[in-house]
Amino acid sequence: MTNAFGTIAAHRFGTGPRPGELPAGTVDDLLAQVTRGVAETCPFPYDGIAGRRTNFPAFRALYKSYQEQRENGTVRKVGDRRVNPFQIALNAAFLRDQHRKVRHAVQSPNGFFERLAAFWCDHFAVNAEKTASTRILVGLYEAEALRPNLGGRFEPLLRAAILHPAMLAYLDQPKSVGPHSPVGRKRGRGLNENLARELIELHTLGADGGYTQDDVRAAAYVLSGLDHDGGAFETTYRKAWAEPGVHRVLGRDYGGPKRSLGDVEALLADLAAHEATRRHVCRKLVVHFIADEPPTEVVEAMVAAWTRTDGELLAVYRAMLEHPRSWDEDGQKARQPFDFVVAGLRALDVPAEALEPIAVTPRRPGRAAMATPQDGAAEMSMMATDEAGTGDAVVEMASGDGATATVLARPTADGRVPIRANPLSVGALQRLGQPLWRPPSPAGWDEELSAWITAAQLTQRIDWARALVARFGGDRDPRRFVAAALGDIARDDTIQVVSQAPSREAGLVLTLASPEFNRR
């Protein structure tokens, strides 16, 4: 290795260096980050996992209330625009969840775990814009289905991801009914193959995994019956929706005289254990962390570790980290916008309070809306009544001193969402083309370097870096900053350009705009 272990570990396998944070010195240090990350309490959803689930009835009540208002003609309006407290509550909760995720990635000392969480969120992609419910489910999905399982075996991770209500909703599983099931015959409903197809093509075997359309359809039959409760968002199995009989997928039979959730779990276990799955997932990990054209020998080492340990992910990660090729050839991968923004915020040691969503004051006639950084304590305030008398106060769950109170986000006086995206974090991701929890398809985000290192993308990144430096650059010496932010991956020409910058601010921006900072 030509560069120090800690430098490459921070940039290629982590979220970038942060002042005062000790770099990983060994592979064991990186794997310890995974162990710690799995064990920690996830800071999102912002109201907690239990709080979000407790809060579902409040969201549902808002939905029903708004529908009733539409039916009886009592919807509040601002001008010609209807005020929908349900949508406002969804949007506010989603924004708060997004900001918590970015803030946590910036502050966490477990950079490798955060990168793995991003990888697996992309592998098991869910788009929050699919339905109203997915906006309040997607943060919960990452927190309770993915993160706790990133250090165990692949099979439990697969099962948790596929059976989560967010995945079922995203891939239209509630629309899938066995055509010969009691419900299918009575209502004339049929199969939806979305979940079965993505399960096989994206989540397990891969596009070249040797399956056929017959396998996809048979898998859809096996999955029929899976649904989630529309109020509590708990996964359920509806036997009356399940296609009866035996269904053969990849040469194995599932089902019988009585269908059950066990058929689904058996299918997931077999797909998790398939040789094509091992190769597909290992290759994706190498593509994500190391190179768009993954070194074959690294993939093979990881496949061997998977086979030897029956899919223990820590062993698979270790095989990747211990292979010499994983530490070669700097700059083969682009820092995607999420990586770039988090790394930049870490490099300038931006404080947590600066990463909150922005509180919006109502618009006044002839004036633009005002916005100020949201006081974190405001999230925990209690609003039992609507002081404006409009009858549309929004309830949300917040905990304080062991008590539970209702508080979500009341619409502003002019009937809008009371917070907006922070332009330095969540807003930046939107402008840079990688909005959080909104991948373009079930296949996730493009991994190709050419998709992210473009003239337009770099212009946007420089604009963001200027705004960040203007606020948090302080009196930093650019020469010290380039050394701290890039370490020994800094090239001589980059050091020279930064040192000769016409101003201190320009030197800091040039560091964040350098090839070394935008690649890993």
Coordinates of all heavy atoms in Angstrom, one line a residue, residues 203 217 243 358 367 476:
H203 N -32.4 -8.8 -5.6 CA -32.0 -9.0 -4.2 C -31.2 -10.3 -3.9 O -30.5 -10.4 -2.9 CB -33.3 -9.0 -3.3 CG -34.1 -7.8 -3.4 ND1 -35.5 -7.8 -3.4 CD2 -33.7 -6.5 -3.6 CE1 -35.9 -6.5 -3.5 NE2 -34.9 -5.7 -3.7
R217 N -42.9 -16.4 -12.0 CA -44.3 -16.5 -11.8 C -44.6 -17.5 -10.6 O -45.5 -17.3 -9.8 CB -45.0 -17.0 -13.1 CG -46.5 -17.0 -12.9 CD -47.2 -16.9 -14.3 NE -48.6 -16.7 -14.2 CZ -49.2 -15.5 -14.0 NH1 -48.5 -14.4 -13.9 NH2 -50.6 -15.4 -13.9
E243 N -52.3 -18.4 -3.5 CA -52.6 -19.4 -4.5 C -52.4 -20.8 -4.0 O -51.3 -21.1 -3.4 CB -51.6 -19.1 -5.7 CG -51.8 -20.1 -6.9 CD -53.1 -19.8 -7.6 OE1 -53.8 -18.8 -7.3 OE2 -53.4 -20.5 -8.6
I358 N -35.1 23.4 8.6 CA -35.4 24.8 8.7 C -36.8 25.1 9.1 O -37.7 24.6 8.4 CB -35.0 25.6 7.5 CG1 -33.5 25.2 7.0 CG2 -35.1 27.1 7.6 CD1 -32.5 25.6 8.0
R367 N -44.5 39.2 0.5 CA -43.2 38.9 1.1 C -42.9 37.4 0.9 O -43.9 36.6 1.0 CB -43.2 39.3 2.5 CG -43.3 40.8 2.8 CD -43.1 41.1 4.2 NE -41.8 40.8 4.7 CZ -41.4 40.9 6.0 NH1 -42.3 41.4 6.9 NH2 -40.2 40.6 6.3
R476 N -9.8 28.6 9.3 CA -8.9 27.5 9.0 C -7.9 27.8 8.0 O -8.2 28.5 7.0 CB -9.8 26.3 8.5 CG -10.6 25.6 9.5 CD -11.4 24.5 8.9 NE -12.1 23.7 9.8 CZ -13.3 24.0 10.4 NH1 -13.9 25.2 10.1 NH2 -13.9 23.2 11.3

